Amino acid sequence: MRWTLWFYIARRFLWTVGAAFLAVLMLVVIVDMVELLRSNKDGRAGFLDLLGMAFLHAPSITIAAAPFTVLLAAMVSFAVLARRSELVVTRAAGVSVWRLIMPALVVAALLGVFSFAVYNPIASAFAARFETLESRYFERPSSRLAVASGGLWLRQGGVKGQTVIRATRASASIERLWDVSVFQFDAEDRLYRRLDARTAVLGDRAWRLGGVTRWDLLTGAGTDAEKAIVETRSVSMEETTIDTDLTVEHIQDSFAAPQTISFWKLPGFIALLEESGFASNRHRMHWFGLISAPVVFMAMVLIGAAFSMRHARFGGLGFMALGCVISGFGFFFLSDISSALGASGAVPVLLAAWAPPFSAVLFSLGLLLHLEDG
């Protein structure tokens, strides 16, 4: 009987979570579809293209909304059990409230592991594809910054052509670069100049290069296939400048969003950021947030159970449901503040990432103890 009851509660909770997830997913797709239709003023994307983009963007949103989805599912599951007097019967048979909640807690923990180990890599791949399509159809700016094991690469455009900048490392604010190589291309994408510099400082619409060696590359005549570099001229100078339309804000916004990077690839990307001298707090916060999903889901189950296991004949179910929703929004509010503090470096990332989940667990345990055993 013990395992029969265990699997019965686990199965009911899992089905409710699945139904709540599908409801949230469809709601996100509808809202995204409306926003994409408004953005598609030029009609460059067809209806099916926009629908596909909405489905690509939805998984990353559902990950952010997953704690609230689990909270809603827990509240509905235990409220239905209480309304059907199933909780009264099991409590009368000597089953404690903790044994009733345990199946849902185990399922929530497994769903938390599934969310970051399996679902997140899929959602991040979809989000990256969504950004590519968004840039194609709506002419949104694509990323100008790439970080690799050899350093970082910046790309900027201009009237004369493209300029590519490579640096071994950079300051956290990205205003200063070290060991810099600049490759300048003309309007026909032919390399015509290279500059090597010890440092590069981003100023007002210009990069100031220090300790510079410049090579002017001259190409031969003929067709494009026959043209080749026939002469190079080297010039050393203490300082020079190159025009740019980049700002610190533009460069920082060009970082790959944490939501577009798989959970399994985030540690390597964070290591590359730190090796290049960039601050990785935002990406570390996202990674720890994914890892904490099992604890967060378990806390949501405890909160949902505490507010919904009251029998219907006692009344006050509406106020209990309202209290559950307010507690859920309170957790999201605390998490957002903590994430902002951690991303800015005001508090340690580890503390900012784990304080809200464990606070929610302690709050829900205290509330459940007070309502059931107090």
Side-chain angles (χ1 to χ4, degrees):
M1 177 180 176
R2 174 185 175 185
W3 288 109
T4 301
L5 177 63
W6 198 98
F7 284 113
Y8 174 75
I9 295 176
R11 185 173 64 252
R12 287 192 63 89
F13 175 69
L14 185 59
W15 277 109
T16 308
V17 170
F21 171 79
L22 289 177
V24 172
L25 179 66
M26 295 311 299
L27 178 62
V28 171
V29 169
I30 292 172
V31 174
D32 255 2
M33 190 65 184
V34 173
E35 184 62 30
L36 290 171
L37 286 171
R38 291 177 57 189
S39 301
N40 190 37
K41 297 178 181 178
D42 299 333
R44 300 181 61 182
F47 179 82
L48 293 180
D49 295 324
L50 297 177
L51 184 61
M53 290 178 63
F55 275 102
L56 288 173
H57 192 220
S60 60
I61 304 298
T62 57
I63 287 181
F68 192 79
T69 304
V70 174
L71 174 64
L72 178 65
M75 182 176 64
V76 171
S77 297
F78 289 110
V80 170
L81 291 176
R83 191 174 187 84
R84 294 179 178 177
S85 299
E86 291 174 302
L87 290 181
V88 175
V89 173
T90 54
R91 297 288 294 275
V95 179
S96 68
V97 66
W98 306 107
R99 288 176 59 186
L100 286 171
I101 297 174
M102 186 57 63
L105 288 176
V106 173
V107 171
L110 293 177
L111 288 175
V113 175
F114 176 83
S115 69
F116 71 75
V118 179
Y119 188 65
N120 170 261
I122 298 173
S124 61
F126 283 4
R129 178 60 179 168
F130 170 80
E131 289 192 352
T132 302
L133 294 176
E134 187 180 37
S135 175
R136 177 193 302 174
Y137 290 127
F138 305 139
E139 297 183 350
R140 305 281 169 83
S142 60
S143 177
R144 298 180 175 181
L145 174 66
V147 181
S149 57
L152 61 100
W153 295 81
L154 281 167
R155 175 179 56 83
Q156 65 182 46
V159 178
K160 297 180 179 180
Q162 297 285 326
T163 299
V164 177
I165 302 174
R166 188 197 68 84
T168 303
R169 58 191 180 93
S171 63
S173 62
I174 322 179
E175 291 180 309
R176 180 179 292 271
L177 309 176
W178 287 273
D179 298 330
V180 180
S181 296
V182 180
F183 305 90
Q184 294 182 316
F185 298 84
D186 60 20
E188 299 179 2
D189 290 334
R190 293 176 301 190
L191 179 67
Y192 71 89
R193 180 176 296 157
R194 172 177 173 171
L195 301 97
D196 286 348
R198 290 194 304 269
T199 61
V201 179
L202 181 60
D204 184 16
R205 305 187 66 82
W207 287 100
R208 297 195 306 273
L209 307 180
V212 183
T213 301
R214 188 185 73 190
W215 287 273
D216 293 319
L217 311 178
L218 303 180
T219 57
T223 63
D224 290 340
E226 297 172 347
K227 288 180 180 178
I229 297 173
V230 297
E231 185 179 352
T232 61
R233 297 174 180 174
S234 174
V235 178
S236 297
M237 58 188 73
E238 192 62 31
E239 186 174 298
T240 189
T241 62
I242 57 174
D243 295 334
T244 183
D245 60 348
L246 297 178
T247 64
V248 173
E249 291 77 14
H250 288 160
I251 299 175
Q252 291 175 343
D253 290 342
S254 293
F255 273 116
Q259 293 79 9
T260 63
I261 304 175
S262 167
F263 167 82
W264 303 106
K265 296 180 180 179
L266 262 176
F269 187 79
I270 291 171
L272 285 176
L273 288 179
E274 294 176 346
E275 181 182 344
S276 300
F278 293 115
S280 61
N281 290 343
R282 187 162 63 103
H283 293 76
R284 291 177 63 200
M285 277 296 306
H286 181 70
W287 192 69
F288 281 125
L290 294 174
I291 291 180
S292 66
V295 179
V296 173
F297 288 4
M298 293 172 68
M300 295 299 103
V301 169
L302 291 171
I303 293 176
F307 281 103
S308 60
M309 296 186 75
R310 182 185 180 91
H311 197 275
R313 66 186 178 87
F314 292 130
L317 294 181
F319 288 104
M320 298 293 283
L322 179 62
C324 182
V325 173
I326 292 175
S327 299
F329 279 113
F331 169 76
F332 282 107
F333 180 72
L334 177 63
S335 296
D336 284 343
I337 293 178
S338 181
S339 297
L341 293 174
S344 65
V347 298
V349 172
L350 200 60
L351 176 63
W354 287 101
F358 282 110
S359 298
V361 169
L362 294 176
F363 167 76
S364 56
L365 285 175
L367 182 63
L368 197 58
L369 286 170
H370 173 72
L371 295 177
E372 297 295 326
D373 299 331

